[in-house]
Amino acid sequence: MQQSGMQRQAPSPMKPERGTPSRAPSGIIDIAGLSPYNGKRWMIKGRIVTKSDVRTFNSARGPGQLFKIDITDGPGSEIAATFFGGAVDQFYDFLKLHQVYTFAGGSVKAGNPKWDRTPHVITFDQGANIQAAEDDSNIPGLAYQFKTVAQIMEGPKDITVDLRGLISDVRPCTQITMKDGRARPKRSLLIWDPSMGQAGSGHIEFTIWGPQAEKEDYPTEGPIFIKGARVGEFNNTKSLNSVGNTVVAYERPPAVEPAWVEEILAAWNNAGKPAPPRGASARSATIQELHNENMRLSSPMENGGGGFDPNSGPTALRHALVGTVTTVYTERPPYYPACSQMVDDGKGKQRACNKKLSDEGVDCWRCASGHTCQRPQYRYLLRARLADHTGMVEVSSFDEAGRLLFGCEANDLAALWDDENRNEELQQVLKRPYWKRCNFSVRSQKEVWQDEERVKVSVTDIASENMVRDGKKKLSEILTALSEGSAGGA
DNA sequence: CCCCCCCC
């Protein structure tokens, strides 16, 4: 994804004769006039508004490489172009984002709305003829076809859309493990616009994937302008994702009239600055909210373990919360010896068995599945207490969360635990999690333990807390509360 | 000729 806080300012006069092939002696035609019928006998002049990295791929014909650009020659007049093979080496460095070129020698074909946001696309190979052109103030930067939150919610998924709105929340960056095992950073923003009126919340989740998600230097409120986000769906709600050529701007692009910013800020105030709904990836919960919402959880054995009761609550709930670690229970080791035998996960992939190993003598450990090994790998399994200003909660944490809390592998902690001569060092490490203030992602489930129902809360992810961001947000909440208090004339 | 675009 590309980030563009400042956009090239272009004067407003429209290009004359929009949408009609130009008869200028140069032979340049408008992008709008391009179609497969042009064959290769055409030339366009346009500004590069997005440019991807080079990607390599393997196809039936062997390995290949490509990169993509989006070209515009006028408001709403845009086309995507892909460079393959030798054209990548020829043009990747030559073509610069925001600059104007003439393009010829490519072939035009119909775009596929599933992944192209323009009606036609161009492919270039070594036959491409591309020349740098003088900057042309008639050619603006990115053009947007904004949809509202309501339109996106009611429209189809798997299309790309543009959206403008106000940032209503910024979730911390977390590392997501993909189905193929790779880790990928992600950060969700919540974006509000007034289009849902009173009917709905008006907030939509926009997830930034990849290295951009790790950046911390962007606003946590105010306007946002998104070009080319992909519509997804989860839990019957539409959401947006950044993809390769998604462009995010936090400053009003020239194509957007200044009055729009004033209007949406006014609408936001009129609507009472609506907070995003609580939900899987929405606003952080307080610990009190966590407990309250967990009361809806249904028991695992309800209905005798079978049948679906529409009146029963969800079997699991996810929350994000900001908490401080006040206790880690270390009467017993906060780790266990885990079986590292690879097993089938039932979905065609391999994963570690991770069952607890018991010591069966010299260099022999065995797990409940009967796997044996000489030496166990230790994994964290710990209970901790988290607190915020509304209460406290006891949570279980597994290996990944344990590594973040203790700052070392469970194997390292186990080595300290078992070494009488390193007790002081051990005590130091055991203290490390204390008073850490983090963003916790937790999953709650009701379970029956010794004939008693209880809610078990497990940590699924930990991200460090951004103190500056958190402080600014709290300050702004305080100021809002104060101004509401005085406006109320109390 | 890519076309994967992600997680719950």
Side-chain angles (χ1 to χ4, degrees):
Chain A
M1 189 188 58
Q2 322 187 10
Q3 197 148 11
S4 141
M6 55 243 111
Q7 299 230 344
R8 173 173 292 266
Q9 199 81 36
S12 48
M14 303 281 267
K15 238 183 135 185
E17 302 172 55
R18 285 239 45 77
T20 56
S22 161
R23 278 162 196 80
S26 62
I28 290 171
I29 64 168
D30 288 342
I31 284 174
L34 273 182
S35 84
Y37 303 109
N38 296 92
K40 288 198 173 191
R41 294 175 15 255
W42 51 264
M43 178 181 281
I44 57 171
K45 187 172 93 168
R47 189 185 304 284
I48 299 180
V49 289
T50 77
K51 181 183 169 192
S52 77
D53 296 328
V54 175
R55 197 173 79 225
T56 56
F57 61 89
N58 283 296
S59 70
R61 282 193 245 169
Q65 59 175 351
L66 67 91
F67 79 97
K68 296 180 191 222
I69 60 173
D70 288 303
I71 308 163
T72 184
D73 68 353
S77 179
E78 192 180 300
I79 193 160
T82 306
F83 293 75
F84 284 103
V88 173
D89 305 318
Q90 216 174 329
F91 293 107
Y92 186 77
D93 292 328
F94 172 67
L95 294 175
K96 304 263 194 304
L97 194 60
H98 302 311
Q99 294 191 10
V100 176
Y101 301 83
T102 59
F103 300 87
S107 27
V108 181
K109 58 177 186 174
N112 181 336
K114 196 176 169 200
W115 40 72
D116 300 316
R117 63 189 185 208
T118 60
H120 297 104
V121 294
I122 303 173
T123 55
F124 284 116
D125 54 25
Q126 287 100 318
N129 179 7
I130 300 171
Q131 310 290 334
E134 252 181 64
D135 200 349
D136 182 340
S137 58
N138 286 328
I139 304 175
L142 267 187
Y144 295 81
Q145 285 87 46
F146 292 115
K147 282 193 160 59
T148 64
V149 170
Q151 286 169 330
I152 294 167
M153 288 296 174
E154 284 148 26
K157 61 174 189 152
D158 293 336
I159 59 167
T160 61
V161 295
D162 305 342
L163 175 70
R164 58 183 169 180
L166 292 177
I167 300 169
S168 56
D169 198 21
V170 177
R171 300 288 313 132
C173 177
T174 63
Q175 298 292 326
I176 297 295
T177 306
M178 294 296 134
K179 284 175 191 138
D180 66 4
R182 286 178 311 160
R184 197 106 163 88
K186 92 158 208 192
R187 184 195 297 279
S188 290
L189 312 184
L190 277 121
I191 299 172
W192 179 91
D193 83 7
S195 62
M196 299 293 277
Q198 304 298 323
S201 81
H203 301 265
I204 190 168
E205 183 182 346
F206 170 52
T207 304
I208 295 171
W209 293 89
Q212 285 289 347
E214 291 172 317
K215 296 184 68 148
E216 297 286 351
D217 57 339
Y218 54 78
T220 58
E221 53 182 29
I224 182 169
F225 306 86
I226 303 168
K227 174 74 181 174
R230 191 175 170 84
V231 179
E233 192 174 53
F234 179 64
N235 279 350
N236 294 317
T237 305
K238 296 291 192 313
S239 54
L240 300 177
N241 288 283
S242 72
V243 293
N245 62 350
T246 304
V247 182
V248 179
Y250 300 96
E251 277 166 43
R252 180 181 59 82
V256 174
E257 60 282 16
W260 177 83
V261 179
E262 308 301 322
E263 281 161 20
I264 193 166
L265 286 170
W268 171 251
N269 283 323
N270 282 340
K273 303 186 181 181
R278 288 257 37 273
S281 47
R283 172 174 69 84
S284 288
T286 63
I287 288 173
Q288 190 170 31
E289 285 173 320
L290 169 82
H291 290 310
N292 287 346
E293 287 169 25
N294 279 352
M295 292 203 286
R296 291 171 41 224
L297 285 169
S298 61
S299 306
M301 287 304 151
E302 236 164 67
N303 306 325
F308 175 72
D309 177 0
N311 296 319
S312 75
T315 56
L317 282 174
R318 289 172 179 277
H319 291 89
L321 59 92
V322 179
T324 303
V325 180
T326 61
T327 312
V328 175
Y329 296 97
T330 52
E331 294 82 19
R332 286 183 295 159
Y335 54 81
Y336 74 101
C339 177
S340 44
Q341 176 77 40
M342 294 309 282
V343 295
D344 197 33
D345 70 352
K347 294 174 221 156
K349 297 260 193 282
Q350 297 284 108
R351 64 165 180 86
C353 165
N354 284 343
K355 283 203 165 82
K356 187 179 175 181
L357 292 165
S358 28
D359 193 347
E360 301 215 333
V362 182
D363 284 348
C364 181
W365 296 73
R366 185 186 303 272
C367 82
S369 294
H371 308 131
T372 57
C373 62
Q374 292 191 341
R375 212 166 285 276
Q377 290 294 319
Y378 289 94
R379 289 175 62 83
Y380 286 105
L381 178 61
L382 61 97
R383 292 187 53 72
R385 182 181 282 199
L386 313 179
D388 72 5
H389 60 292
T390 66
M392 58 178 88
V393 60
E394 307 230 330
V395 297
S396 309
S397 295
F398 303 101
D399 200 44
E400 202 171 317
R403 278 200 298 269
L404 288 160
L405 288 173
F406 284 105
C408 63
E409 298 290 327
N411 277 342
D412 304 332
L413 184 56
L416 284 181
W417 192 283
D418 293 334
D419 189 338
E420 291 164 16
N421 300 322
R422 297 172 74 187
N423 188 45
E424 202 165 311
E425 208 178 326
L426 171 67
Q427 295 309 320
Q428 290 298 320
V429 175
L430 292 180
K431 271 190 225 159
R432 276 189 202 150
Y434 280 73
W435 318 117
K436 278 198 172 155
R437 183 177 157 78
C438 301
N439 291 282
F440 293 87
S441 302
V442 298
R443 184 173 191 273
S444 307
Q445 264 183 302
K446 215 172 236 182
E447 60 171 29
V448 178
W449 189 71
Q450 291 181 351
D451 284 339
E452 271 196 56
E453 256 187 7
R454 64 174 191 182
V455 173
K456 187 171 186 186
V457 182
S458 306
V459 175
T460 55
D461 193 37
I462 302 182
S464 62
E465 172 70 339
N466 183 324
M467 298 292 182
V468 174
R469 181 199 311 271
D470 192 44
K472 279 185 183 163
K473 197 171 147 188
K474 284 195 166 46
L475 181 60
S476 123
E477 283 167 11
I478 291 167
L479 292 173
T480 305
L482 283 175
S483 70
E484 279 165 4
S486 59

